[in-house]
Amino acid sequence: MNRLLTHLILLILSSAAFAEGMTPFTAEMEAIRHGAIDIKAQGTLQLRETATDQWHYRLSTDGRTLSLREESWLTVTDNQIRPTRYEFESKLFWVKTTKSLRFDHDNRRVTGRVEKDRVDERFAAPIYDALGYQLALQQALANGEESITLNVLRHKQPDDMSFRIIGEEMLRLPQGAIYTWIIEQTEPVSRDERKLIWIAPGLAYTPMRFGRYEDGDLKEEIRVLSLQLDGQPVDFSQ
C-alpha cells in the first residue's frame, strides 16, 4: 500500500510538471560495452531550450576506442514534439558511422543521408528521430500511457517502436538510489535481444539507465553518474 501511494503521488506531481513543458537537464553518464574486454566511455546527455518552444537534445561520449555524438533539434507545437534536424556520428575503433536528416513537416518529408545512402521519404505525422523519440516517450508516460508505440526514423525508413512499463525499481547509482519505472522496448527487437530503459518519474521522467541484453547477458549500458535538473543538482543520497 505504501509503495502504491508513493507511486501515485509521484505520478501526480511529475505529470503536472511535465504538462507545463519539457524540463531542461544535464546528465553526466558512463557508457559501457561489455565483452571479453569492457569498453568504457564518459559522456553527457543534455536537453536545453534554445528559444521559446525550440529544443536541443544531445548525447555525446568520448573514449579512446568508443566515441559518439547524437543530436536532435526539435520544436513543440500544440504540445506536439516535432524533430526538425538530426545528426549522428559514432566511431568504434576505426569504424565510423554517420547520419544527417532534415524533417519537413509541412510536406511530411524527411531528407538527408545515412552513410553514403540518400534518404528522401514521406512520413505520416507524428514522427520522431532516433534520439528525440525519448522525449515523446517521456511525454506519453507523463500522460499515463503504459503501452506506447511511436513512429521513429531509426535508419532509412520510418519504423514503429513499441514500449511498455514492466515494473519499478530503486535504481542504484554511484551517488545513491532513485525510484524508477522499467520500460521495455518490445518492437523492434531480435528474438534473443532485450532493451530496457529506467526512467525516473519523480525527476521529470528523465532516463537514468539504458541496457541492451543478448540471451540474458548485459551487452551495452548507459547509466547516469550525476544529474542537474533545470539547473539544480540532484542529490541521490537522500
Side-chain angles (χ1 to χ4, degrees):
M1 178 62 74
N2 288 338
R3 171 182 274 188
L4 178 60
L5 181 59
T6 301
H7 175 94
L8 291 173
I9 291 172
L10 283 172
L11 177 61
I12 291 168
L13 293 178
S14 302
S15 295
F18 201 89
E20 296 174 0
M22 294 187 289
T23 303
F25 71 86
T26 300
E28 298 301 323
M29 310 188 81
E30 179 181 50
I32 306 173
R33 176 168 286 191
H34 297 278
I37 298 176
D38 290 349
I39 300 173
K40 297 183 180 182
Q42 300 291 317
T44 302
L45 181 64
Q46 182 183 63
L47 175 66
R48 62 188 181 93
E49 189 172 18
T50 57
T52 302
D53 292 330
Q54 304 288 320
W55 295 83
H56 180 226
Y57 196 31
R58 186 175 193 267
L59 171 64
S60 63
T61 66
D62 187 14
R64 302 178 72 180
T65 55
L66 173 65
S67 63
L68 168 71
R69 176 185 59 84
E70 190 172 19
E71 298 180 83
S72 176
W73 288 262
L74 312 107
T75 64
V76 178
T77 303
D78 297 329
N79 208 35
Q80 176 67 57
I81 298 170
R82 292 182 174 183
T84 59
R85 178 183 166 197
Y86 172 79
E87 301 286 341
F88 175 91
E89 181 178 295
S90 71
K91 186 177 181 182
L92 177 61
F93 295 106
W94 57 86
V95 180
K96 188 175 181 179
T97 304
T98 60
K99 302 177 188 178
S100 180
L101 301 170
R102 301 292 186 275
F103 294 83
D104 180 349
H105 290 271
D106 290 334
N107 296 305
R108 296 191 176 183
R109 186 174 293 277
V110 57
T111 58
R113 288 193 176 275
V114 175
E115 292 297 308
K116 296 181 180 180
D117 295 331
R118 186 170 178 267
V119 175
D120 189 346
E121 292 284 337
R122 294 192 62 82
F123 63 79
I127 193 171
Y128 307 98
D129 61 64
L131 180 66
Y133 83 85
Q134 295 174 13
L135 303 174
L137 175 61
Q138 293 169 243
Q139 188 178 55
L141 292 170
N143 289 334
E145 298 180 44
E146 295 187 2
S147 294
I148 301 154
T149 297
L150 303 171
N151 191 29
V152 181
L153 201 147
R154 300 187 306 135
H155 301 298
K156 300 176 186 178
Q157 295 180 330
D159 198 5
D160 282 343
M161 293 181 67
S162 297
F163 305 85
R164 63 175 181 173
I165 300 174
I166 62 169
E168 56 187 359
E169 180 180 337
M170 287 300 298
L171 180 65
R172 297 201 174 276
L173 302 168
Q175 290 190 355
I178 184 69
Y179 173 79
T180 60
W181 291 349
I182 305 173
I183 314 300
E184 180 181 31
Q185 181 179 325
T186 56
E187 293 290 343
V189 289
S190 60
R191 187 175 60 180
D192 61 350
E193 183 182 45
R194 194 179 193 204
K195 295 181 179 180
L196 301 178
I197 307 173
W198 285 256
I199 286 180
L203 297 176
Y205 296 84
T206 304
M208 306 302 295
R209 183 174 182 251
F210 301 83
R212 188 181 73 84
Y213 300 78
E214 290 181 4
D215 292 323
D217 296 327
L218 180 61
K219 294 298 183 180
E220 297 171 354
E221 67 174 316
I222 302 176
R223 61 174 183 166
V224 168
L225 301 177
S226 64
L227 176 67
Q228 285 193 356
L229 191 62
D230 205 11
Q232 301 298 315
V234 175
D235 185 359
F236 293 108
S237 63
Q238 297 180 352

